[in-house]
Amino acid sequence: MTDAALPAALPLDPRDPVALTAALIRCPSVTPEEGGALVLLEAVLTAAGFACTRVDRNGVPNLFARWGARGHARSFGFNGHTDVVPVGNPADWSCDPFGAEIRDGRIWGRGAADMKSGVAAFVAAALDFVRDTPPDGAVILTITGDEEGPSRDGTLALLDWMATNDEAMSHCLVGEPTCPSEMGEMMKIGRRGSMTGYFTARGVQGHSAYPHRAKNPVSAMARLMDRLASHELDQGTDHFDASTLAVTTIDTGNPANNVIPASCKATVNIRFNDRHSGANLSDWLAAEAARVQAETGVAISVDCSISGESFVTPPGLLSDLVAAAVQAETNRVPELSTSGGTSDARFIKTHCPVVEFGLVGKTMHQVDEHVEVAHIHQLKGIYARILREYFA
């Protein structure tokens, strides 16, 4: 790539990760809106010689970009997203949520941490790399607009398209923010599984003064929720903390204090490690519901939604490569962690080995979201070092 290859009207140097972060923040890409973010990235990458394809599905915007030959034996991939969560009340912000203001050594705006800075860093690193050291292999970028949404037509759509078009990544790094407080302190080699159970208890309505004439779904639901919340799922595994179950709501919608309602609903959320599967946990929830139903005579049904299974990329070539680059650029050896919520790595793990490393995520999804400008430059340096070492 040469400077002359960039569009004349491009208002920034895309190899500057802070300038590119700012340009992306100014795109109001609240999920599922594209907001101009992927249009900008496609223009930048096309000008640099990447073969770009929009892989939109069901109205969800996605971008695939490859530098190098298709089907090459060595292909390093980056994955990220440009969609962001809503800003909430703009009046609560000290700045324009889409203004990308730089002050106090930080850049402010929705998506600054999660994760337009990460996308900007790996795009800028890739642009430099293919210009300065054209690799014997392929560099692939998969960028979605559906990570903060339902995630049905984002990275999954990109992987489906790749499977039918003879495109593949040998290894992949997801640029999500992974560091709790300090740059370089943590990377993710896996994630817990996540699922939600929705319970409905149906009893018989009656007067609270005559409880024997009714079947109280609230009492039955309270018994069931206590059993679920009190149960120890496990004590953790080699790479994971103990699995957790949280009761998130119990609802009846009953405005009367002297009426036993006819129905009650409750919800639990489970974050589980590699000792479990979503299917096995679903069976357990159904069995516990059936047990309480038999004890109380109150019919209890459960509907389970599995967001993702647990997975781990065992420590080895990929994690060593990333950890060495992080240490070289930050003087910190990152902890190999599986903590936190879900990410699109849960989809990529069936395609190729995958790990995650990105910025400090303390302010993601918060009012006045921001990251340190110096950390964005540092992240580009880490990603650039990873590319150099991978193709060395």
Side-chain angles (χ1 to χ4, degrees):
M1 184 187 78
T2 64
D3 291 345
L6 294 174
L10 197 65
L12 76 157
D13 178 358
R15 296 186 298 271
D16 178 346
V18 176
L20 187 53
T21 297
L24 290 173
I25 290 174
R26 295 187 185 109
C27 299
S29 52
V30 177
T31 193
E33 297 299 322
E34 187 273 329
L38 293 182
V39 171
L40 171 62
L41 291 174
E42 183 176 7
V44 164
L45 291 165
T46 299
F50 280 75
C52 293
T53 305
R54 282 289 293 269
V55 189
D56 296 5
R57 188 166 80 180
N58 294 327
V60 171
N62 303 293
L63 178 64
F64 174 89
R66 172 179 38 79
W67 193 99
R70 182 191 318 190
H72 200 284
R74 283 199 306 171
S75 55
F76 193 89
F78 287 97
N79 172 267
H81 65 92
T82 54
D83 62 321
V84 298
V85 297
V87 301
N89 184 358
D92 293 335
W93 287 66
S94 66
C95 56
D96 179 355
F98 299 110
E101 178 182 345
I102 296 178
R103 58 180 163 88
D104 303 324
R106 300 171 174 88
I107 186 166
W108 304 70
R110 178 57 84 223
D114 188 16
M115 60 165 287
K116 290 181 173 179
S117 52
V119 171
F122 69 61
V123 168
L127 293 179
D128 274 352
F129 180 66
V130 300
R131 178 196 64 179
D132 298 336
T133 316
D136 179 20
V139 177
I140 291 175
L141 311 181
T142 56
I143 307 169
T144 179
D146 187 39
E147 198 275 344
E148 301 291 5
S151 299
R152 292 188 294 266
D153 297 301
T155 294
L156 278 175
L158 285 159
L159 293 171
D160 289 345
W161 180 88
M162 290 171 67
T164 59
N165 287 272
D166 194 29
E167 299 280 6
M169 299 179 287
S170 304
H171 298 85
C172 184
L173 190 154
V174 178
E176 288 279 1
T178 58
C179 301
S181 301
E182 302 292 335
M183 186 62 179
E185 66 181 324
M186 183 179 289
M187 59 183 286
K188 307 285 187 180
I189 61 168
R191 293 279 185 160
R192 296 179 296 175
S194 176
M195 65 175 293
T196 301
Y198 302 93
F199 294 85
T200 301
R202 295 180 175 84
V204 176
Q205 184 173 316
H207 198 297
S208 61
Y210 306 97
H212 58 286
R213 296 177 182 172
K215 289 184 180 179
N216 194 332
V218 181
S219 299
M221 188 67 82
R223 182 183 303 190
L224 175 59
M225 292 298 106
D226 178 63
R227 287 183 183 175
L228 296 179
S230 301
H231 179 74
E232 181 182 80
L233 288 165
D234 56 70
Q235 295 183 336
T237 66
D238 289 345
H239 296 293
F240 290 89
D241 291 335
S243 302
T244 62
L245 180 148
V247 179
T248 58
T249 186
I250 301 177
D251 302 297
T252 63
N254 181 15
N257 64 359
N258 61 348
V259 175
I260 294 171
S263 65
C264 178
K265 295 180 179 291
T267 303
V268 303
N269 184 259
I270 304 176
R271 301 301 170 111
F272 57 94
N273 60 35
D274 52 353
R275 289 196 58 176
H276 308 277
S277 68
N280 289 341
L281 288 169
S282 297
D283 290 344
W284 170 66
L285 294 178
E288 290 297 314
R291 179 182 167 198
V292 172
Q293 176 174 313
E295 293 169 356
T296 63
V298 173
I300 304 176
S301 62
V302 57
D303 181 29
C304 293
S305 174
I306 301 169
S307 301
E309 301 287 348
S310 67
F311 75 94
V312 63
T313 299
L317 183 151
L318 181 58
S319 58
D320 290 349
L321 173 70
V322 175
V326 171
Q327 183 178 10
E329 296 290 332
T330 69
N331 292 319
R332 287 191 177 91
V333 178
E335 174 189 351
L336 306 185
S337 173
T338 57
S339 62
T342 59
S343 76
D344 278 2
R346 71 189 190 272
F347 305 128
I348 299 168
K349 53 93 174 174
T350 60
H351 176 87
C352 68
V354 59
V355 298
E356 302 173 59
F357 180 79
L359 295 180
V360 175
K362 283 193 295 187
T363 65
M364 57 183 176
H365 293 202
Q366 294 183 5
V367 167
D368 281 350
E369 182 178 352
H370 61 272
V371 293
E372 292 191 27
V373 166
H375 288 173
I376 301 175
H377 288 293
Q378 204 169 28
L379 186 62
K380 178 191 174 181
I382 292 168
Y383 291 160
R385 185 179 290 269
I386 289 169
L387 286 171
R388 291 194 302 271
E389 295 298 323
Y390 186 81
F391 289 103

